[in-house]
Amino acid sequence: MRVVLGVAGGIAAYKVCALLRLLTEGGHDVTVVPTAAALKFVGAPTWAALSGKPVHTEVWSDITEVPHVRLGQQADLVIVAPATADLLARAATGQADDLLTNVLLTARCPVVMAPAMHTEMWEHPATQANVATLSERGVHIVPPASGRLTGADTGPGRLPEPEDLYAVCVRELGRAARAGAAPHGIPDPAVTTALTGRRVVVSAGGTREPLDPVRYLGNRSSGKQGYALAAVAARLGAEVTLVSSATLAAPEGVRVVPVETALEMRTVMLAEAAGADVVVMAAAVADFRPANYTEHKIKKSHEGAGDDSAPVVELVRNPDILAELVRTRRDTERPVIVGFAAETGDASGGVLDLGRAKLARKGCDLLVVNEVGPDKTFGREDNTVHILRRGTDDVIDVGPASKSVVAEEIWAAVAHVLARG
Ligand code: C5P
């Protein structure tokens, strides 16, 4: 496979020599495109010797071969490591002031970026906004590791180890090959056709179950995966309704119906699903709600009266919206229903076993099994999922990848189900 290895000007460039070695030993044809600043850390002779190819930073070399267009167009994968704050800013704003940024504009293959910089630069809102923009466009961002930085200080900002970056490259190349080299941000034509003009309903966010006028029971779901699903479906020409208990900005071209509780979400989802072609339950619906809502704020205690007892909150079960959507659908084919399952795996089985059991129990057409854990899924920009399909043993493994890329894979799986009926 043809890989372009972009290197920006950060000290972590020295670790990327080992990544280059792994890629070439893996049989890949690698062209290294450093920025001018990267050459201050590792010189062109090192990159040229390890890749076996000439190394250029500007668009003016080998001009008859138009490298700024050809390199990007012909690549199967572009990985930028380290992606510095400056490189992320230039890529996010579509600048084309050196060879690497030109390659990023002409590439139609998966693009992976591994940011590495000092913690303050990584956490700056400008950098975070640029990362969010790139991720939204389908760039696979590999989050920086936490640990020792250039000097004595530590924190998030370290470039992940070359072996880990190599594993991401291999996964992305495999994913692109399976999807027929669907380019990042530009959908597979089969998927585009499948969703054009379809009515799609997506639920997103964690429901809030009020206890009194100021308190509620909630969960850690940010709603980002549901919003990415809605955004991608709208981009693919679907008529999208997003039933949301999250407070994120509405994606372009999407009708948002705000809800707060599981009961509100149930009412809206049952009504919206009636005429829909596809329903995706990405929301984290609370399984329980307080049995009683107290009109006035619950007092801490009868302070001063020596009573420091705490109230006991009684809970009741919420309806299972997904199961009800399956039970009440207008026929066995429509709408296609997609459920989500956040699993950690336990003594009774791994995430896939638990997912298969849940798919059978809920009766939906596809189940997206989310791996959850201390640094996985909730609130993050990336996600790791396994897509299961009813009646088959198929498993589509996705990620870690941006929530937009995960959304594209989920819609590709939905397209296959739609094509069947
Ligand atoms: O059973 P569990 O909560 O793990 O199932 C998750 C799936 O079921 C998600 O698709 C979620 O949106 C949906 N769900 C639901 N109503 C509930 C609980 C979960 O629709 N009360």
Side-chain angles (χ1 to χ4, degrees):
M1 296 281 207
R2 288 185 196 180
V3 176
V4 172
L5 174 57
V7 187
I11 181 69
Y14 82 91
K15 287 165 78 176
V16 176
C17 300
L19 172 63
L20 172 56
R21 228 349 191 295
L22 289 168
L23 284 164
T24 54
E25 281 172 2
H28 300 291
D29 173 339
V30 188
T31 305
V32 182
V33 183
T35 62
L39 296 184
K40 295 201 183 279
F41 294 95
V42 178
T46 303
W47 301 120
L50 289 175
S51 68
K53 283 173 189 266
V55 166
H56 305 295
T57 59
E58 302 303 329
V59 294
W60 311 115
S61 317
D62 296 336
I63 200 73
T64 49
E65 292 185 27
V66 207
H68 71 290
V69 177
R70 184 182 48 78
L71 277 174
Q73 279 178 341
Q74 295 179 351
D76 296 302
L77 177 78
V78 177
I79 171 159
V80 183
T84 55
D86 176 68
L87 188 281
L88 292 167
R90 288 191 291 137
T93 49
Q95 291 182 49
D97 48 0
D98 62 6
L99 186 55
L100 179 53
T101 45
N102 274 268
V103 167
L104 289 170
L105 288 177
T106 51
R108 290 294 175 270
C109 57
V111 175
V112 175
M113 291 191 187
M117 62 202 75
H118 244 73
T119 305
E120 291 82 353
M121 297 174 83
W122 170 244
E123 290 177 346
H124 194 284
T127 304
Q128 288 301 310
N130 290 330
V131 167
T133 300
L134 291 163
S135 177
E136 175 65 25
R137 279 185 208 141
V139 172
H140 178 155
I141 303 285
V142 185
S146 210
R148 173 117 192 254
L149 300 171
T150 323
D153 43 353
T154 60
R158 249 174 90 85
L159 188 74
E161 295 312 308
E163 292 74 19
D164 296 333
L165 294 176
Y166 179 62
V168 173
C169 292
V170 170
R171 252 195 323 260
E172 284 296 303
L173 284 165
R175 196 179 71 77
R178 272 204 319 278
H184 80 280
I186 297 171
D188 180 338
V191 177
T192 317
T193 332
L195 286 183
T196 307
R198 302 278 190 172
R199 278 206 54 201
V200 165
V201 184
V202 179
S203 71
T207 62
R208 294 175 172 200
E209 311 296 328
L211 272 162
D212 67 18
V214 295
R215 303 184 179 95
Y216 61 85
L217 299 182
N219 61 65
R220 288 185 192 279
S221 170
S222 66
K224 286 180 184 171
Q225 185 61 71
Y227 274 62
L229 278 159
V232 171
R235 217 162 65 210
L236 296 176
E239 191 192 310
V240 187
T241 302
L242 180 61
V243 181
S244 168
S245 52
T247 48
L248 302 170
E252 208 172 298
V254 170
R255 181 170 75 99
V256 179
V257 182
V259 294
E260 191 173 321
T261 65
L263 290 181
E264 284 169 16
M265 184 171 276
R266 172 183 173 273
T267 305
V268 178
M269 286 306 292
L270 290 177
E272 293 290 338
D277 297 297
V278 187
V279 177
V280 183
M281 277 300 299
V285 184
D287 291 319
F288 305 98
R289 66 177 183 278
N292 301 301
Y293 174 75
T294 310
E295 295 289 342
H296 305 290
K297 186 182 169 193
I298 301 167
K299 300 287 176 290
K300 201 180 299 171
S301 65
H302 301 294
E303 284 158 15
D307 178 1
D308 59 359
S309 64
V312 174
V313 177
E314 190 192 339
L315 301 177
V316 290
R317 283 294 290 259
N318 271 327
D320 188 323
I321 306 170
L322 177 60
E324 202 168 339
L325 287 167
V326 171
R327 270 201 315 275
T328 57
R329 70 172 144 186
R330 60 178 186 266
D331 60 51
T332 52
E333 311 268 314
R334 292 291 182 275
V336 170
I337 299 178
V338 183
F340 268 68
E343 303 288 359
T344 55
D346 60 22
S348 67
V351 287
L352 285 184
D353 299 329
L354 293 169
R356 284 211 178 82
K358 188 163 289 181
L359 178 58
R361 214 168 44 242
K362 300 252 182 183
C364 48
D365 300 288
L366 295 170
L367 189 78
V368 181
V369 182
N370 257 125
E371 281 188 33
V372 295
D375 57 355
K376 280 186 181 152
T377 300
F378 289 124
R380 290 182 58 115
E381 297 304 328
D382 62 340
N383 207 356
T384 304
V385 307
H386 312 279
I387 306 172
L388 308 182
R389 185 167 164 179
R390 186 162 53 95
T392 74
D393 291 330
D394 297 354
V395 183
I396 303 167
D397 301 313
V398 190
S402 71
K403 290 185 174 174
S404 295
V405 168
V406 170
E408 284 173 16
E409 293 280 340
I410 293 170
W411 288 124
V414 168
H416 284 116
V417 180
L418 282 167
R420 190 193 52 185

